[in-house]
């Protein structure tokens, strides 16, 4: 197009040109505002849609967390049940592997002699020492047994003899006299003897190690 | 007229409401869309009834959109070639031009809209700034624009006919001059170095004068003269109209010779002013472009190639100014003193 072809002069009155420009500007603002509003609405809608998706995921995560906590609680309960069951199994095994304690009573009777009376005899499992490790050995599983003996003797020498007899059995890991004291009001019942009876308290530790040493020495059991 | 969203691709509607026929053109996919409406009162001022009739025809003729560029009425346009101080002097060229136009036409400086553009320097170098100034009184512009209010058409610009004609012929081989044969006169536009350097409204070339002469000498009214002289396709087909052409030949020949003589005088002036300019190609357009024998007569009389319309497209020759107006856009070297 030549220069003449590109010549354009607008002889529209200036007031109308100004009004036309104002209308065009207003139209552009309206169109721009409408487009902006539409874009804003679209963006808001997209954000809303995405937010609803995030909320759904958050809800799923919360559900999963709750489910995980619930499973943890169930796991703890199962672990407690397992520990109880394991303790019961250990106790059963201990009972099943327990020696014939009636033989022990016979040994005690033979070690006591005629000058000594046993009025109480108890055999209790010895609690294991807590090592603080992570091993599965339970605190209540016995490491051995403690035999407590109480009774009356004619004299202290009878008590000492009884103690020696017990040690001689090679059955116990240790034999300890806890106490010996005169028993007021308890007289020797046999004629020709005077004096007051003494009561004693002896503790014997019975363990697999002691039994093994007894087996090695060929001691009576 | 209904607002069509897709009308922006079709561009503006070019409107020409001068003379006996109102014309419109708009760019279309298969060539320009054209329309022509005969005014009920050609001599009267353009009014709302004319605007309503034109808008109705456009609505039914496939025009789209409502933005229109109006050609300034040829009778109302004030144009002049001015010699002003050189721009290098810092003189307010636009204000001086406005004052000069106001003085020449004896009107207030702020009573018209003014457009001007620089002209090539003439053969004699005088150091002055030569501008072409075109002015349109605001009152006459408002009168026409007001008539269009409420019709659905929005006048977004008023174009200068000479510029519109130059724009309309800029697609192919640009002519050296254009003559727009209209009801009120024949507008001669001369271009040099791509710029409109001369414009003259030749009143002797008005079709109204031809029609008056025909009615006086043959008794034929304008309704008969128009199809016989200006619509040759009809005349060739109808023997009856062909017999009517014979008595009109003399009148038409005299009209064409007179028009060629006036054009020759003007072109001689332009040739004297611009030594490097010469007429090689003349484009004939307007309502009289299809007149039988006109192009041949002008070509012979002016010794130049004479074509109808832009690039010889006679079908749109009558609407050439409207087509150019529909191409109205921001100019690159035009100055408006508004």
């Amino acid at each position: 197009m030549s220069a003449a072809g590109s010549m354009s002069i607008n002889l529209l009155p200036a007031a109308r040109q100004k009004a036309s420009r104002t209308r065009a500007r207003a139209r552009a603002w309206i169109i721009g505002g409408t487009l902006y509003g539409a874009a804003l609405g679209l963006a808001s809608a997209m954000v809303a849609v995405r937010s609803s998706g995030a909320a759904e995921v958050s809800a799923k995560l919360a559900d999963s967390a709750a489910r995980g906590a619930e499973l943890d609680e169930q796991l703890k309960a199962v672990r407690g049940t397992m520990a109880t069951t394991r303790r019961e199994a250990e106790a059963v095994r201990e009972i099943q592997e327990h020696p014939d304690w009636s033989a022990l009573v016979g040994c005690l009777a033979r070690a006591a002699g005629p000058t000594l009376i046993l009025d109480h005899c108890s055999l209790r499992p010895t609690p294991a020492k807590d090592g603080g490790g992570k091993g599965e050995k339970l605190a209540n599983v016995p490491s051995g047994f403690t035999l407590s003996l109480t009774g009356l003797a004619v004299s202290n020498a009878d008590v000492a003899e009884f103690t020696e007899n017990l040690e001689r059995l090679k059955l116990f890991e240790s034999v300890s006299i806890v106490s010996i004291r005169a028993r007021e009001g308890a007289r020797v019942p046999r004629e020709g003897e005077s004096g007051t009876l003494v009561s004693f308290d002896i503790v014997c530790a019975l363990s697999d190690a002691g039994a093994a040493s007894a087996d090695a020495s060929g001691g009576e059991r | 007229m209904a607002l069509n969203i897709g009308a922006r691709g079709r561009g503006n509607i070019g409107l020409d409401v001068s003379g006996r026929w109102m014309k419109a053109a708009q760019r279309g996919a298969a060539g320009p869309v054209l329309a022509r409406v005969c005014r009920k009162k050609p001599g009267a001022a353009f009014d709302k009834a004319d605007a309503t009739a034109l808008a109705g025809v456009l609505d039914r003729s496939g025009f789209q959109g409502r933005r229109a560029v109006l050609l300034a009425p040829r009778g109302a346009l004030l144009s002049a070639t001015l010699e002003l101080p050189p721009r290098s002097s810092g003189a307010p060229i636009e204000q001086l031009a406005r004052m000069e136009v106001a003085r020449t036409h004896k009107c207030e400086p702020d009573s018209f809209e003014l457009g001007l553009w620089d002209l090539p320097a003439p053969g004699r170098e005088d150091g002055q700034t030569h501008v072409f100034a075109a002015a349109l009184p605001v009152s006459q512009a408002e009168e026409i624009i007001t008539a269009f209010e409420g019709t659905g058409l929005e006048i977004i610009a008023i174009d200068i006919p000479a510029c519109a004609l130059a724009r309309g012929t800029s697609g192919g081989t640009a002519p050296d001059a254009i003559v727009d044969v209209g009801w009120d006169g024949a507008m001669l536009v001369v271009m040099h170095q791509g710029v409109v350097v001369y414009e003259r409204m030749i009143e002797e070339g008005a079709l109204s004068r031809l029609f008056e002469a025909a009615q006086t000498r043959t008794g034929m009214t304008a309704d008969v003269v128009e199809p016989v002289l200006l619509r040759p396709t009809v005349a060739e087909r109808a023997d009856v109209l062909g017999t009517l052409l014979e008595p009109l030949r003399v009148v038409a020949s005299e009209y064409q010779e007179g028009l060629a003589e006036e054009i020759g005088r003007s072109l001689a002036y332009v040739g004297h002013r611009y030594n490097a300019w010469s007429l090689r190609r003349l484009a004939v357009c307007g309502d009289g472009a299809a007149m039988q024998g006109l192009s041949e007569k002008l070509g012979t009389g002016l010794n130049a190639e004479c074509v109808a319309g832009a690039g010889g497209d006679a079908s749109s020759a009558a609407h050439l100014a409207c087509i150019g107006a529909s191409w109205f856009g921001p100019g690159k070297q035009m100055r408006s003193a508004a």
Side-chain angles (χ1 to χ4, degrees), chain A residues 10 40 42 45 51 72 74 79-80 85 88 90 99 119 131 136 144 152 159 161 170 173 181 183 187 213:
Chain A
N10 192 355
L40 205 60
L42 185 63
S51 298
D72 283 344
Q74 291 180 0
R79 280 177 178 167
T85 305
E88 290 176 358
E90 290 284 345
D119 62 358
E136 294 188 358
L152 295 173
V159 175
E161 184 181 355
K170 302 294 185 183
E173 189 177 1
R181 56 183 178 273
R183 187 143 179 185
R187 295 288 181 180
S213 63

Side-chain angles (χ1 to χ4, degrees), chain B residues 22 81 125 264:
Chain B
M22 298 181 290
T81 303
E125 281 292 343

Side-chain angles (χ1 to χ4, degrees), chain A residues 18-86:
Chain A
K18 185 178 179 183
S20 179
R21 282 194 296 268
T22 304
R23 280 198 303 274
R25 197 177 298 122
R27 196 179 302 125
W29 274 103
I30 290 172
I31 293 173
T34 304
L35 291 176
Y36 177 74
L40 205 60
L42 185 63
S44 301
M46 291 177 65
V47 168
V49 169
R50 290 189 175 185
S51 298
S52 66
E56 189 177 348
V57 172
S58 299
K60 285 183 178 178
L61 284 173
D63 289 344
S64 299
R67 179 71 179 157
E70 186 181 350
L71 290 175
D72 283 344
E73 292 295 326
Q74 291 180 0
L75 187 61
K76 285 180 182 177
V78 169
R79 280 177 178 167
T81 306
M82 283 179 62
T84 304
T85 305
R86 189 172 294 164

Side-chain angles (χ1 to χ4, degrees), chain A residues 8 27 63 77 93 104 139 157 164 171 179 181 190 195 199 205 213:
Chain A
S8 295
R27 196 179 302 125
D63 289 344
R93 190 168 63 245
L104 179 62
E164 289 177 356
L171 187 62
S179 64
R181 56 183 178 273
R190 285 184 294 189
S199 62
S213 63

Side-chain angles (χ1 to χ4, degrees), chain B residues 30-36 233 284 286 289-290 308-320 323:
Chain B
V33 182
L34 309 173
R36 190 169 84 151
T233 54
V284 182
D313 182 12
S315 62
S316 61
H319 295 78
L320 190 62
I323 293 171

Side-chain angles (χ1 to χ4, degrees), chain A residues 123-189:
Chain A
L123 184 67
R124 289 190 177 87
T126 303
K129 293 179 181 177
D130 188 6
K134 290 184 179 178
E136 294 188 358
K137 189 171 183 180
L138 301 173
N140 291 332
V141 175
S143 60
F145 293 89
T146 301
L147 177 66
S148 298
L149 301 171
T150 58
L152 295 173
V154 176
S155 62
N156 292 340
D158 293 335
V159 175
E161 184 181 355
F162 177 58
T163 303
E164 289 177 356
N165 291 340
L166 290 175
E167 289 180 342
R168 205 172 290 124
L169 289 174
K170 302 294 185 183
L171 187 62
F172 303 106
E173 189 177 1
S174 64
V175 178
S176 304
I177 298 173
V178 178
S179 64
I180 299 175
R181 56 183 178 273
R183 187 143 179 185
E184 293 298 334
R187 295 288 181 180
V188 177

Side-chain angles (χ1 to χ4, degrees), chain A residues 1-17 20 23-24 27, chain B residues 113 115 117 142 145 149 154 156-158 160 167 170 194 196 328-329 331-334:
Chain A
M1 184 175 287
S2 67
S6 66
M7 290 192 302
S8 295
I9 293 179
N10 192 355
L11 295 182
L12 196 71
R16 287 190 178 270
Q17 288 193 41
S20 179
R23 280 198 303 274
R27 196 179 302 125
Chain B
E113 293 294 329
W117 61 91
E142 285 289 348
I145 295 170
E149 289 179 349
E154 179 191 4
I156 62 167
I158 296 179
I160 297 172
R167 206 178 299 121
S170 61
V196 173
F328 183 90
K332 65 179 182 180
Q333 56 173 324
M334 306 303 292

